[in-house]
Amino acid sequence: MTGQEEGALSGRSDFQAIAAWVRPDSTVLDLGCGDGLLLKYLKQTRNARGYGIDIADANVLACVKNGANVIQSDLERGLAGFDAGSFDCVILSQTLQAVRHTEQILLEMLRVGREAIVSFPNFGRWDLRLQIALGRMPLSPELPYEWYNTPNVHLFTIADFESFCRGHGIHILERVALNRGRPVRTLANFFGSLAVYRFEKRR
Amino acid sequence: MGAVRPQTLSFTEPLRFRSGAVLDSYDLVYETYGTLNAARSNAVLACHALNAAHHVAGYYADDPDNLGWWDNMIGPGKPVDTEKFFVVGVNNVGGCFGSTGPKSIDPRSGKPYGSSFPVVTVEDWVDAQARLADRLGIASFAAVMGGSLGAMQALQWTISYPDRIRNAIVVAAAPRLSAQNIAFNEVARQAITTDPDFHGGDYYGHGVVPRRGLRLARMIGHITYLSDDAMMEKFGRALRSDSIQFHFDVDFEIESYLRHQGDKFSEYFDANTYLLITRALDYFDPAAAHGDDLSRALAAARARFLVVSFTSDWRFAPSRAREIVKALLDNRCDVSYAEIDAPHGHDAFLLDDARYHALVRAYFDGVFERL
């Protein structure tokens, strides 16, 4: 198995964590929805009424093939077509590290959604720290790209994200750190390969 | 799709138009492709736009070059596969290709309807299409699809007959015309009605047709179907001869092309039908009856939607399609929306584009699975 295929598989490991936080029959908007399989999973497991947003032609086609609703649109230009509070939950699954307008998108998620869920690869995991300490840009199943071909533009750690939330009026409701699919009990920022958060606007 | 044959059905139950006018009886010309399954659940209606009709796919045995207007989309193994679906194409009421329209004989007077043919709306067309569906034994369409004005009919189906349409494929559409759209239509109509051969719409008795007007109408229409880039790419500033001639006859290739299109069109299209169809475009505005709120207008819709726009379409730009998508989202309808990066302008909905056709194919695979 190549690093990339492994990455794609572990990409599914946040589905369960996300689904556990999506209330039955709720409306969800999945930003950067890719092939639409998360939406399909949420429909099957939570009877969620979901829509995805993606800019790539190939992903829009994949969503239609998978029977997921998809709106072709550029996330980086915000969610102008969506009314405030029009979704129960807005999800950004393993995409935050690949967007340019990070701040704007997180705030847009909380404008359109009553709450939001993000998952991202934790750049603070010990093996990544070690690789950097040894002088190389790190590779892992969650971050399978070489420095020269990565779509990721903003790599960050669990500690970075929580600090961001504190500074931007974001109230974290729940957090799960996963280590290759299994929950991490202690030292999340050291052992977690993937972090999943549920959050809302601080009231 | 092989050779196909048009068929005609006569209707004697009066059709009441939105304007209040009534057509006591009428004919509809239609074609079908594929086979209606035993459950009668696989029917697809393909709605035509301004200048097309019921000949959607295939060719005529005695006219093998006359390919249906959506032949690249509909047929065996095509994105809308006629080995799975039973596709219906119909010439709308008011048309000039065999269905009752202004050039048909009014049984009351024994003369062509001409100027007395009622102004017809998209709603009226959809009502007539529903009558055709009744006669064909189609209780509900698996899908109603169309581009441009055809897409407006698909949209209207979801409002007028929400329980009789399971999927709407809405391509290169707008939820209503802009002032600029209406302006172009008005220029086209003025070209026709000011032609001395128009005779107030009753030119049939004079043995003439307002050819000059139709020709101009087609020329201006054609400009709006193409993008600036596509036109530049196709014609550029190429000349008919080696150099400019210092006259007002044809110098540039684009002039020659437009004249040719206009001439061709004026030979086969009825001027009164052109007036009626552009008016139907102008009047289409489902939001108007709901306080200009398109979301409320679509509240009754139960269908799933595929909405497609083309980036270079300045006639019905992607932003117009997004208005439809927004209203569908407000109603929590199932909808997918694709913005195809195609250079051809409004006409792109009729052309072969791999991404566009792959998308429609994938969508119809889903329609088939859900039959």
Side-chain angles (χ1 to χ4, degrees), chain A residues 27 43 49-51 57 60-61 64-65 67-74 81-83 85-88 114, chain B residues 304-306 322 325-326 328-341 355 358-359 362-363 370:
Chain A
T27 55
K43 188 175 181 178
R49 180 161 280 271
Y51 301 88
D57 290 336
V60 171
L61 179 60
V64 170
K65 282 183 175 165
N69 293 319
V70 60
I71 310 296
Q72 188 161 29
S73 184
D74 186 1
F82 295 88
D83 293 337
S86 56
F87 280 85
D88 294 323
R114 281 183 275 283
Chain B
R304 286 169 172 262
F305 287 79
L306 175 65
R322 281 170 181 273
V325 172
K326 165 80 167 65
L328 295 172
L329 282 170
D330 286 344
N331 285 300
R332 302 292 181 217
C333 293
D334 281 311
V335 53
S336 283
Y337 168 65
E339 211 166 280
I340 307 286
D341 185 12
R355 284 158 302 177
L359 198 72
Y363 189 83
R370 293 189 299 269

Side-chain angles (χ1 to χ4, degrees), chain A residues 71-125:
Chain A
I71 310 296
Q72 188 161 29
S73 184
D74 186 1
L75 273 187
E76 303 282 6
R77 290 160 70 179
L79 301 174
F82 295 88
D83 293 337
S86 56
F87 280 85
D88 294 323
C89 183
V90 180
I91 298 169
L92 191 64
S93 167
Q94 303 203 46
T95 302
L96 193 56
Q97 75 282 356
V99 302
R100 298 187 63 82
H101 302 97
T102 317
E103 243 179 305
Q104 186 201 339
I105 285 169
L106 283 167
L107 297 176
E108 276 284 87
M109 289 175 78
L110 288 177
R111 181 183 67 82
V112 171
R114 281 183 275 283
E115 57 182 55
I117 295 172
V118 300
S119 66
F120 57 85
N122 175 31
F123 206 66
R125 195 178 189 268

Side-chain angles (χ1 to χ4, degrees), chain A residues 3 7-8 15 26 30 164 172:
Chain A
F15 280 20
S26 58
D30 182 9
F164 174 92
I172 294 171

Side-chain angles (χ1 to χ4, degrees), chain B residues 289-304:
Chain B
H290 296 86
D292 278 340
D293 185 342
L294 186 63
S295 303
R296 278 174 52 205
L298 283 164
R302 294 286 168 272
R304 286 169 172 262

Side-chain angles (χ1 to χ4, degrees), chain A residues 175-195:
Chain A
R175 179 189 85 189
V176 167
L178 297 169
N179 179 32
R180 307 285 133 81
R182 287 188 195 83
V184 176
R185 307 279 172 220
T186 53
L187 294 174
N189 198 30
F190 196 72
F191 292 116
S193 56
L194 195 70

Side-chain angles (χ1 to χ4, degrees), chain B residues 98-366:
Chain B
S99 292
T100 299
K103 73 174 186 184
S104 311
I105 301 295
D106 180 350
R108 292 168 307 183
S109 67
K111 286 196 237 160
Y113 284 96
S115 60
S116 71
F117 197 88
V119 170
V120 63
T121 64
V122 170
E123 290 92 322
D124 303 328
W125 284 336
V126 166
D127 286 344
Q129 290 163 358
R131 302 261 184 98
L132 175 64
D134 293 341
R135 290 279 290 274
L136 297 176
I138 299 162
S140 116
F141 280 107
V144 178
M145 64 190 303
S148 190
L149 178 57
M152 291 171 170
Q153 292 160 59
L155 197 61
Q156 186 60 42
W157 262 92
T158 71
I159 298 170
S160 295
Y161 299 99
D163 301 326
R164 301 189 67 176
I165 167 173
R166 282 164 277 147
N167 293 273
I169 291 79
V170 174
V171 186
R176 59 176 167 196
L177 297 200
S178 67
Q180 188 195 49
N181 295 148
I182 296 172
F184 278 117
N185 283 345
E186 172 58 6
V187 174
R189 280 191 297 268
Q190 282 286 308
I192 291 168
T193 56
T194 59
D195 185 321
D197 286 338
F198 182 62
H199 295 289
D202 296 309
Y203 43 85
Y204 311 100
H206 293 81
V208 291
V209 291
R211 202 177 299 279
R212 282 160 292 184
L214 258 177
R215 192 166 168 268
L216 283 175
R218 178 59 170 169
M219 286 166 84
I220 186 128
H222 216 88
I223 297 169
T224 69
Y225 306 148
L226 299 176
S227 70
D228 191 11
D229 286 348
M231 216 182 244
M232 201 60 198
E233 168 93 2
K234 195 166 174 184
F235 304 102
R237 292 179 53 84
L239 298 171
R240 291 289 282 170
S241 53
D242 293 339
S243 59
I244 52 171
Q245 301 295 307
F246 300 97
H247 64 184
F248 297 111
D249 205 347
V250 169
D251 262 340
F252 296 95
E253 285 288 357
I254 181 61
E255 296 173 300
S256 162
Y257 173 79
L258 283 179
R259 288 184 186 202
H260 173 70
Q261 291 293 331
D263 286 340
K264 221 172 54 176
F265 189 70
S266 68
E267 310 247 309
Y268 70 80
F269 209 87
D270 181 62
N272 281 318
T273 290
Y274 202 90
L275 299 181
L276 287 174
I277 295 186
T278 54
R279 216 39 165 170
L281 270 161
D282 294 353
Y283 285 170
F284 182 69
D285 186 2
H290 296 86
D292 278 340
D293 185 342
L294 186 63
S295 303
R296 278 174 52 205
L298 283 164
R302 294 286 168 272
R304 286 169 172 262
F305 287 79
L306 175 65
V307 180
V308 180
S309 72
F310 301 94
T311 50
S312 58
D313 182 355
W314 57 275
R315 197 165 194 261
F316 293 159
S319 59
R320 307 306 315 280
R322 281 170 181 273
E323 293 174 31
I324 298 171
V325 172
K326 165 80 167 65
L328 295 172
L329 282 170
D330 286 344
N331 285 300
R332 302 292 181 217
C333 293
D334 281 311
V335 53
S336 283
Y337 168 65
E339 211 166 280
I340 307 286
D341 185 12
H344 312 99
H346 189 60
D347 256 358
F349 84 87
L350 291 168
L351 303 176
D352 230 326
D353 179 288
R355 284 158 302 177
Y356 166 42
H357 280 190
L359 198 72
V360 174
R361 182 185 293 278
Y363 189 83
F364 269 89
D365 286 345

